[in-house]
Amino acid sequence: MQSLWMLLACAMFAMMGAFVKVAADLGATLPEIVLFRGIPSVLLLFFWARSTRRTIRPSSWRLHIWRNISGIASMWLGFFALSQLALPTAISLNYTAPLFIAGWLMFFGGAQRDPVRVLAVLAGFLGVLGILRPSVEHDQWMAALMGLGAGGLAAIAMMQIRQLGQIGEPEWRTVLLFSIGVCISGVVGIGVQGWRTSDPLALLALTGLGLAGLVGQLTMTRAFGLGSTLLTAALQYTTIIFAALIGILFWGDRPAPLAWAGMALIIGSGLLSVWRTHMESRTLRSRPLAGAQQTKEVNPS
């Protein structure tokens, strides 16, 4: 069931990306897209929290502020890339976050001599080059760089989410406060640009992206709560495969062989990075247990 929940989440996130492209093609502005991404999550989680008498006040405002700044900026950049690039290209760039985390740990986290992480980072960014070279036109490089920036900012947001989990912050509150921030940023953007969408199909696409994003978020949270974090994190890369299939079926996107190879490198290096991080976490958890066992043997009383 854990695998099925995560596969459903990946399909929903790929579908959300498709709705973003459809809405943008029908004239929806970026602030409108961002606003509709946050509204369903805010409504559902807020009324659920009120009905179950849970407090919305966070344990750490500082961590939530940094998580929201990085996460919201990543969302804006990622949605812009989705509106301008082929769906599998944009999704692949958005899923480079684990590579940025691995690179950070390699240079600043005391893992400089880890050959596995070095291999993952090098292979991953070779994959990025493989996707960009045949897939991005001369007038799309800014969108591609924004998609890559979305991956880097998502890595920062992931590290903040990890810290929030370590202090015991429930996932629903993190999602709710983030979604509120998303809606506020969308409203500010609409205040600057004005509301421009009147096409019923565009409104339908905006509603679809909000619902798909909400279902994806809930099912992903469900998957991470059911079993192996390693398996769930590995399965998230099937979003790239779903996005490629949707792009082929609805937009006629035919990635070049080099682009397919780049996607494979990003997926493989991301899985390698996730596995390495998981193994390091297991080692760190086992050390206190081993130390306690040795103390017990030395002092049986």
Side-chain angles (χ1 to χ4, degrees):
M1 284 304 298
Q2 177 199 10
S3 300
L4 292 176
W5 282 120
M6 194 60 201
L7 289 174
L8 176 59
C10 293
M12 289 296 102
F13 284 131
M15 192 178 297
M16 182 189 73
F19 277 124
V20 169
K21 284 191 68 64
V22 171
D25 290 344
L26 292 173
T29 64
L30 190 57
E32 293 166 356
I33 290 172
V34 171
L35 176 63
F36 271 80
R37 172 62 181 87
I39 284 177
S41 298
V42 170
L43 294 177
L44 177 69
L45 292 173
F46 178 79
F47 286 111
W48 174 79
R50 291 289 89 187
S51 64
T52 55
R53 298 187 177 182
R54 286 173 165 80
T55 179
I56 301 175
R57 185 182 296 276
S59 305
S60 170
W61 280 108
R62 181 182 63 82
L63 289 178
H64 277 286
I65 289 172
W66 282 112
R67 184 268 183 274
N68 280 15
I69 290 174
S70 55
I72 292 170
S74 172
M75 179 176 289
W76 278 77
L77 295 180
F79 282 174
F80 179 81
L82 281 166
S83 68
Q84 302 295 319
L85 301 173
L87 184 62
T89 301
I91 293 289
S92 299
L93 295 176
N94 285 344
Y95 271 76
T96 54
L99 303 180
F100 282 101
I101 293 176
W104 171 265
L105 292 175
M106 188 173 68
F107 289 107
F108 303 104
Q112 293 92 334
R113 298 180 181 178
D114 182 1
V116 176
R117 188 163 278 122
V118 171
L119 177 63
V121 172
L122 291 178
F125 285 106
L126 282 176
V128 171
L129 293 176
I131 290 174
L132 294 180
R133 185 64 186 89
S135 303
V136 177
E137 303 295 336
H138 293 295
D139 59 346
Q140 294 178 323
W141 278 99
M142 181 58 69
L145 291 175
M146 287 190 174
L148 208 53
L153 288 168
I156 297 174
M158 287 179 182
M159 289 189 282
Q160 300 300 321
I161 292 172
R162 182 179 180 184
Q163 292 186 36
L164 285 166
Q166 288 173 345
I167 66 172
E169 190 75 339
E171 293 169 342
W172 69 266
R173 189 185 295 151
T174 299
V175 173
L176 173 60
L177 293 177
F178 172 70
S179 300
I180 291 173
V182 168
C183 288
I184 292 173
S185 72
V187 170
V188 171
I190 291 172
V192 174
Q193 291 190 359
W195 185 274
R196 301 181 183 177
T197 300
S198 57
D199 188 336
L201 289 178
L203 293 173
L204 188 62
L206 289 171
T207 303
L209 77 88
L211 294 175
L214 173 61
V215 174
Q217 205 163 36
L218 291 175
T219 50
M220 182 178 67
T221 302
R222 175 75 170 173
F224 271 103
L226 280 178
S228 168
T229 302
L230 177 63
L231 174 61
T232 306
L235 286 173
Q236 71 178 335
Y237 281 94
T238 57
T239 304
I240 297 175
I241 299 172
F242 283 121
L245 293 175
I246 292 174
I248 291 171
L249 289 174
F250 293 98
W251 280 276
D253 295 331
R254 300 289 177 180
L258 186 58
W260 282 113
M263 291 180 204
L265 275 174
I266 289 177
I267 293 172
S269 58
L271 294 178
L272 185 61
S273 177
V274 167
W275 172 80
R276 188 61 172 172
T277 301
H278 173 74
M279 294 305 295
E280 288 180 347
S281 299
R282 284 186 60 184
T283 302
L284 290 174
R285 286 196 302 268
S286 65
R287 284 176 183 172
L289 294 175
Q293 183 65 30
Q294 290 177 359
T295 303
K296 185 176 180 180
E297 291 174 357
V298 171
N299 185 14
S301 61

